[in-house]
Amino acid sequence: MTVAQSLQRRLAPASRCFGCGPANPRGLHLETLPSPGDHDEVVAIWQALPIHEAFAGVVNGGICGTLLDCAMNWAAVWRLVRERHATEAPDCVTVDLSVRFARPTPSDRSVVVRARAIECDGRRVVCEGAIEVDGTPTATARGTFVAVGPGHPAFGRWRAAAAPTSE
């Protein structure tokens, strides 16, 4: 499968996810791409705004956690798409998420968010991720993601029409 645009825009253009949804006008708009050198890794470049700061010059930890959660979720989705030879993204949700902060993440320059699927068992995928600034990790994470089916509230969410938002 050739990817000419981010996984989110290609596989989930109607997603309203705060972290990575193209259809959320107030979201973070993280856009992941498969890593050219590692089929199990996705990579994104993201730039904070002042509203994303915990205090002057430092990205809020919750925002960092959201970036890692979304990137790892997409690493899981990408792994399942490839394994299943699918044309649509499975609806994956976070089962568990652990974030470790190594140092403050500066808000004055772009960060690289990496995530990699490290285990896959049917519909369950374990991933690891990192936020890097100038090649140095500021936060790392590990999470488990599972593809859900009909009956789960998240099933079909990426294909659903975007709900209107009030300004």
Side-chain angles (χ1 to χ4, degrees), residues 3-120:
V3 178
Q5 57 187 184
S6 73
L7 294 172
Q8 290 81 0
R9 291 190 184 278
R10 180 177 176 96
L11 297 171
S15 173
R16 297 181 343 197
C17 175
F18 174 72
C20 63
N24 186 334
R26 295 187 179 185
L28 301 177
H29 298 130
L30 184 73
E31 295 196 39
T32 55
L33 293 167
S35 174
D38 183 344
H39 296 298
D40 287 324
E41 183 181 66
V42 298
V43 180
I45 297 173
W46 184 81
Q47 175 65 57
L49 299 172
I51 61 169
H52 303 130
E53 293 180 332
F55 48 90
V58 176
V59 179
N60 174 278
I63 297 294
C64 291
T66 299
L67 294 171
L68 289 163
D69 182 30
C70 286
M72 290 189 301
N73 193 331
W74 279 97
V77 167
W78 186 234
R79 173 75 170 262
L80 291 172
V81 163
R82 288 185 357 271
E83 283 195 359
R84 296 174 177 182
H85 305 287
T87 57
E88 290 189 348
D91 296 296
C92 288
V93 297
T94 308
V95 174
D96 63 56
L97 173 67
S98 174
V99 180
R100 181 171 296 253
F101 299 97
R103 59 190 43 83
T105 300
S107 60
D108 65 347
R109 55 189 173 269
S110 295
V111 300
V112 175
V113 184
R114 297 182 186 279
R116 186 171 199 284
I118 59 170
E119 295 175 28
C120 186

